[in-house]
Amino acid sequence: MNLLPDIRAFIKDVPDFPKPGIVFKDFTPLLADARGLALAVELMANPFRGVQVDTVIGAESRGFIFGIAIAQALSAGFVPVRKAGKLPRKVRGITYDLEYGTDRLEMHADAIASGTRVLVVDDLLATGGTLDACARLVHEGGAVIAGLSVLIELEALGGAKRLEKYGKVHSVIRC
């Protein structure tokens, strides 16, 4: 008997959200299930146990959900990467393309010291724009990418290929 939940069963497809032609992967049912959430965090964190990770970063807002939990699991710090205009002190920012538009991400300029080993975390990898923007912010500050971890990868959109320059992307679910 398998006591672990099937994480895929918690992911709900929502067609035509946020715009026609997009199939949104809604993982909020997973967040509501204690065992499913714990398993998702462990599956995202486990490949990085024994690898030096000083800081985990996650992009607003869904990257925060898993990023903080993974940082705790790895005994690392967490640095939020926010949308433009949300941080109160001096920032470094980057504008990037999404699969359905453009956006800008920022982090505090002093949030990550040079040489820090950073794990970049997000909920979903589509075209790779958000993770690439986060990784570029890490590199601009002189830090090192220790890895990238996502809950869901949409393989057909090729985001992992775009991110190869930072190392292998760990994906729990590939669709």
Side-chain angles (χ1 to χ4, degrees):
M1 177 166 89
N2 185 359
L3 299 177
L4 296 176
D6 178 6
I7 291 178
R8 288 179 189 268
F10 293 104
I11 310 299
K12 306 298 179 197
D13 286 350
V14 181
D16 299 321
F17 184 83
K19 71 180 215 175
I22 303 291
V23 178
F24 185 82
K25 299 292 186 184
D26 179 16
F27 65 85
T28 58
L30 175 68
L31 300 177
D33 184 87
R35 291 183 322 138
L37 176 58
L39 179 59
V41 170
E42 285 304 309
L43 291 173
M44 290 176 76
N46 277 344
F48 303 98
R49 293 189 188 283
V51 174
Q52 181 188 346
V53 173
D54 303 311
T55 302
V56 173
I57 68 167
E60 187 170 347
S61 65
R62 296 184 318 238
F64 294 178
I65 295 168
F66 292 109
I68 292 170
I70 291 167
Q72 185 177 20
L74 297 177
S75 298
F78 177 78
V79 171
V81 175
R82 306 277 326 256
K83 294 181 180 179
K86 301 285 186 176
L87 294 171
R89 295 183 289 110
K90 184 178 178 183
V91 298
R92 285 186 292 108
I94 192 160
T95 301
Y96 67 103
D97 293 324
L98 295 166
E99 58 273 18
Y100 47 84
T102 62
D103 210 346
R104 181 171 173 81
L105 292 176
E106 298 175 339
M107 66 188 301
H108 280 126
D110 61 355
I112 300 174
S114 181
T116 300
R117 294 188 46 83
V118 177
L119 175 62
V120 182
V121 170
D122 207 354
D123 65 319
L124 182 117
L125 169 58
T127 63
T130 301
L131 284 168
D132 184 56
C134 288
R136 287 168 42 204
L137 281 172
V138 168
H139 274 276
E140 283 178 7
V144 177
I145 303 293
L148 301 102
S149 186
V150 297
L151 178 65
I152 303 166
E153 177 185 343
L154 304 178
E155 290 181 293
L157 296 179
K161 180 99 173 125
R162 177 179 184 175
L163 301 169
E164 284 178 346
K165 59 190 167 207
Y166 304 116
K168 185 177 183 308
V169 177
H170 172 68
S171 306
V172 175
I173 298 169
R174 290 183 181 89
C175 349

